[in-house]
């Protein structure tokens, strides 16, 4: 008879599975070390803080997309949701003179509603999420332009700038916000029943349903998370420039997808970690930052990011995650012989 | 008009009546932990219709898959028309080139395409790079004349009747230069007059010198359309011979009359109150007017052929399959079960027939799978999951079931079928379910593991739980159940218990031959 301690070791003697689980973290560290050695401008504390600050809001948006990909779906509409939050927030505050807090709550409710509609279309309408969110993306985009006629709305109060550019001590406020959001979401995903249900639904929808999990609620909630978190990210990005802009999110969808996948989230759902997303976001930002410092044309960043995404997806879809290492196989064999 | 399909006199020079079309020698097929075929010999002559019979899991499908190249046999030799086949490179594609075709009971047609397109898909006649529809139409007409069938080939096949779809599948299989046709339980979804039509077609094909391997559960069909037979049992070759030399009784004996390879624990006879009762349950196209009950400490079985509606019935009770009328009582109280969550709250636990896609989340580890339905029991500070308590509970239950594993964090994908099934059952034991719905609980697991599952079922009943089992293996149902309900085409044909709990009695009702 074996003991509980014996059977509840997560990694046992197998270092390989530990390394595999955290491979992106090691790669990120390696990347930072290499750039720090080769680029003198990279290793300054200002620059490192800058990387963190620039990553923060994209990372928050990616954490929302993470939930949708975790349940095996996709949310294309975030780019428009970001624009919607930005332009309506500025409109509410500047044109209608609403207090900032009320405007924040209002736009976050709007982004939650966008997520809710996506979720309902996918779950009750049984639409493929790619199509459903592509449609809502365009509808929201249309509403944004109708509201703003395409023009930015500037003149937000200076105090609001703190959200995007403020500091607490030496740490930029967005970085603190990113970690707070990440920690809350980590607790939800790892330590609550609802959080575990996201993984279950993404891992096997039918089996989850038959195990009594409310798959409808969980799926819709994932889309709502995606909407709200892209709203939070959009507020931060708006605060940086103090003006609402409909096209704020238009180039972000690609980065967000790349970050989620870089973070080790399985595109078929059921596997991924919230801190993986943070690591993925930092990884991407370190590369663009280094390219800027090296004076490489910014358009090359698109090419490089594209190639990175291809490589990661190729790895994701072609290595059927090796479920058992050789030493584990030997152990299984010895167990079965008994 | 010359019909290339009917020219059975002068156009068959290659046909050699003495060389077998297919010859399998000492075929052994092993899967991890299971020997599906053990030294089986099989011969098929031109113009012969060869019935392949045996219980579910006896190895009939495995044998046909070895012949078509879908499986690569572990040991043994395969000769096609006297030519030894190099097994290392044998594949479905090669078997098709050799003229071996298989028709499954499940439809493998593109439902939005027409019959014509389905028949010729992959071998379209071309003219100047474009598909020559006129030539195809002519070919199809010849083919249908040859088979003496009249099926509308110009509408999408999903408009056709089941029997007509089967004709399209057959036509597709014989249109190319096929010599061997494997019919895998083709008739299990057909009605009597359509079956006669299939027999007629088989006759036509035999006259053309083709060899037919006919797999069926319905024994009277073997006597109607086969010349010879081969009986398999637990992967072993029991006997082969001419159908004219035997009768149905002898054949049944060969199929089931063997030394008992599985031993069943004694059946619990200490019952309590009725736990679950179903009255007049009806779901369109699945089952009609179903009545049954199960008491605490009791095991009941649902027997029936493929498509009889057993799985749908179980799923309806668990709130997955919609019903239009009828009542369900749990512990005497009428309930409306809307979804699985609701069913679980009422004390039901469902072990689906397909554990890999319905019972487990394969990428999850043992602990996560085990605690999935009972997650809410392991809380700390109201909102948070107590991982330690979860792991401890999963450990306790799995140790009790004698699971073979090295870590709770091992992915269930790495476990054998029997061990995976234990986890699906452990899920419901941990949730403290009172009524267990087991759909083919021993499907695809080896004999040793089967026995452990049987013991588990016995232990459940000893604790006063109720168990409902669906199984295609009659012997298993007889060995485990207090009472067996036999379902034929969605209706309960017969209920057997005590004295009448015998294989012959059940088989009759199973085939709709009337058992009363």
């Amino acid at each position: 008879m074996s003991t509980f301690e014996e059977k509840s070791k997560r990694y046992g003697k197998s270092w390989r599975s530990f390394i595999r689980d955290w491979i992106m973290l090691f790669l990120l560290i390696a990347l930072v070390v290499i750039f720090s050695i080769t680029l003198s401008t990279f290793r300054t504390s200002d620059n490192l803080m800058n990387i963190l600050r620039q990553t923060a809001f994209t990372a928050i948006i990616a954490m929302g997309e993470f939930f949708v990909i975790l349940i095996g779906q996709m949310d294309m509409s975030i780019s428009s949701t970001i624009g919607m939050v930005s332009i309506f927030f500025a409109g509410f505050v500047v044109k209608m003179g609403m207090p900032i807090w009320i405007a924040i709550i209002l736009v976050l409710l709007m982004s939650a509603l966008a997520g809710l509609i996506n979720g309902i279309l996918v779950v009750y309408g049984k639409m493929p999420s790619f199509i459903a969110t592509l449609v809502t993306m365009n509808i929201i985009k249309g509403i944004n332009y109708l509201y703003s006629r395409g023009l930015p709305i500037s003149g937000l109060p200076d105090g609001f700038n703190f959200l995007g550019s403020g500091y607490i001590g030496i740490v930029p406020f967005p970085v603190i916000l990113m970690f707070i959001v990440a920690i809350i979401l980590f607790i939800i995903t790892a330590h609550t029943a609802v959080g575990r249900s996201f993984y279950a639904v993404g891992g096997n929808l039918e089996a989850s349903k038959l195990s009594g999990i409310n798959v409808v609620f969980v799926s819709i909630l994932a889309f709502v998370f995606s909407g709200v978190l892209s709203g939070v990210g959009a507020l931060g990005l708006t605060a940086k420039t103090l003006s609402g802009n409909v096209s704020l999110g238009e180039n972000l969808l690609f980065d967000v997808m790349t970050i989620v996948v870089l973070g080790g989230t399985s595109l078929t759902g059921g596997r991924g970690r919230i801190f993986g997303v943070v690591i993925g976001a930092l990884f991407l930002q370190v590369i663009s930052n280094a390219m800027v410092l090296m004076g490489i044309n910014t358009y090359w960043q698109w090419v490089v990011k594209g190639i990175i995404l291809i490589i990661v997806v190729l790895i994701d879809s072609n290595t059927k995650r090796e479920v058992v290492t050789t030493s584990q196989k030997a152990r299984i064999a010895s167990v079965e012989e008994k | 008009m010359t019909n290339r399909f009917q020219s059975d006199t002068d156009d068959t020079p290659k046909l050699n009546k003495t060389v077998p079309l297919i010859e399998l020698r000492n075929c052994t097929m092993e899967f991890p932990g299971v020997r599906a075929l053990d030294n089986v010999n099989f011969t098929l002559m031109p113009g012969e219709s060869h019935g392949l019979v045996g219980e579910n899991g006896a190895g009939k499908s495995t044998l046909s898959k070895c012949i078509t190249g879908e499986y690569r046999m572990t040991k043994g030799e395969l000769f096609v028309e006297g030519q030894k086949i190099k097994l290392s490179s044998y594949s479905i594609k090669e078997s098709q080139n050799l003229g071996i075709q298989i028709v499954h009971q499940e439809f493998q047609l593109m439902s939005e395409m027409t019959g014509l397109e389905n028949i010729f898909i992959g071998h379209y006649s071309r003219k100047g790079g474009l598909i020559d529809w006129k030539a195809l139409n002519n070919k199809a007409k010849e083919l249908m004349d040859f088979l003496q069938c009249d099926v509308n080939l110009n509408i999408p096949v999903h408009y056709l009747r089941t029997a007509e779809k089967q004709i399209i599948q057959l036509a597709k299989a014989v249109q190319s230069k096929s010599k061997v046709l494997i019919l895998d339980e083709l008739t299990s979804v057909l009605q009597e007059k359509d079956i006669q039509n299939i027999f007629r077609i088989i006759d036509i094909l035999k006259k053309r010198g083709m060899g037919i391997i006919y797999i069926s559960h319905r024994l009277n069909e073997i006597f109607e359309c086969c010349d010879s037979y081969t009986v398999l049992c637990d992967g072993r070759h029991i006997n082969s011979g001419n159908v004219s030399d035997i009768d149905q009784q002898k054949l049944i004996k060969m199929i089931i009359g063997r030394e008992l390879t599985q031993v069943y624990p004694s059946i619990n006879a200490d019952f309590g109150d009725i736990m679950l009762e179903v009255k007049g349950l009806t779901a369109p196209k699945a089952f009609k007017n179903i009545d049954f009950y199960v008491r605490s400490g009791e095991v009941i079985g649902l027997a029936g052929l493929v498509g009889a509606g057993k799985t749908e019935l179980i799923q309806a009770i668990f709130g997955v399959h919609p019903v239009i009328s009828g009542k369900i009582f749990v512990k005497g109280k009428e309930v409306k079960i809307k979804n699985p969550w609701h069913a679980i709250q009422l004390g039901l636990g469902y072990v689906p027939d397909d554990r890999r896609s319905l019972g487990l989340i394969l990428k999850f580890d043992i602990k996560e799978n085990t605690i999935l339905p009972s997650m809410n029991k392991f809380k700390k500070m109201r909102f948070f999951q107590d991982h330690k308590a979860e792991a401890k509970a999963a450990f306790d239950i799995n140790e009790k079931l004698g699971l073979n594993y090295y870590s709770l964090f091992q992915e269930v994908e790495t476990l054998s079928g029997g061990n995976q099934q234990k986890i699906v059952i452990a899920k419901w034991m941990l949730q403290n379910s009172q009524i267990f719905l087991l759909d083919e609980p021993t499907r695809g697991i080896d004999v040793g593991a089967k026995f452990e599952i049987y013991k588990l079922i016995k232990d459940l009943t000893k604790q006063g739980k109720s168990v409902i089992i669906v199984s295609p293996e009659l012997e298993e149902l007889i060995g485990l159940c207090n009472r067996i309900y036999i379902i034929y085409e969605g209706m309960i044909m017969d209920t057997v218990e005590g004295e009448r709990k015998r294989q012959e009695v059940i088989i009759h009702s199973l085939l709709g031959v009337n058992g009363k």
Side-chain angles (χ1 to χ4, degrees), chain B residues 233-251:
Chain B
C233 182
D234 283 343
R236 280 170 299 126
H237 185 182
I238 301 298
N239 205 356
S240 294
N242 287 328
V243 169
S244 52
D245 298 340
I246 52 161
D247 58 22
Q248 192 149 348
Q249 289 308 317
K250 271 190 190 155
L251 192 58

Side-chain angles (χ1 to χ4, degrees), chain A residues 1-10 20 187 190-194 196-197 199-204 206-214 266 268-271 320-321 323-325 328-329 331-332 335-336, chain B residues 318 320 340-341 344 350 352 356-365 367-368 372-373 375-376 379 383-385 387-388 391-392 395 399-400 403-411 413-416 419 427-428:
Chain A
M1 209 57 175
S2 42
T3 63
F4 175 55
E5 282 67 35
E6 238 172 82
K7 300 259 161 138
S8 58
K9 277 183 198 142
R10 193 172 284 270
R20 185 195 55 216
I187 291 171
H191 295 284
T192 68
V194 172
R196 303 306 304 163
S197 303
Y199 290 86
V201 168
N204 186 337
E206 285 303 315
S208 304
K209 197 158 112 191
L210 293 176
S211 295
I213 286 174
N214 192 340
S266 163
T268 48
R271 184 177 284 139
K320 206 183 151 218
R321 193 180 144 109
V323 282
V324 216
T325 61
Q328 287 169 338
K329 267 182 198 149
R331 252 190 296 170
I332 295 172
V335 166
E336 286 186 346
Chain B
F318 202 63
V320 191
W341 181 83
I344 293 165
Y350 172 45
R356 291 176 66 83
S357 68
L358 300 176
L360 294 168
I361 301 176
L362 291 175
K363 12 179 156 170
F364 273 27
D365 57 38
K367 181 206 116 186
E368 292 288 345
L372 197 59
M375 257 196 294
N376 288 323
K379 293 268 169 164
F383 294 108
F384 304 117
Q385 290 304 113
H387 291 301
K388 188 90 191 246
K392 188 78 178 65
F395 171 77
E399 287 290 318
K400 208 160 110 192
L403 191 77
N404 266 340
Y405 66 117
Y406 63 83
S407 164
L408 286 167
F409 300 105
Q410 178 184 355
E411 285 167 35
E413 175 105 70
T414 61
L415 296 170
S416 69
N419 280 313
K427 271 168 48 168
W428 303 113

Side-chain angles (χ1 to χ4, degrees), chain B residues 11-43:
Chain B
D11 198 24
T12 50
K14 277 187 288 176
L15 205 72
N16 187 334
K17 292 265 181 194
T18 55
V19 176
L21 281 171
I22 297 277
E23 192 178 359
L24 263 178
R25 286 188 201 154
N26 303 322
C27 168
T28 297
M29 179 78 214
E30 280 171 344
F31 296 107
V34 193
R35 179 170 284 196
L37 288 176
D38 192 359
N39 260 320
V40 174
N41 292 306
F42 181 84
T43 311

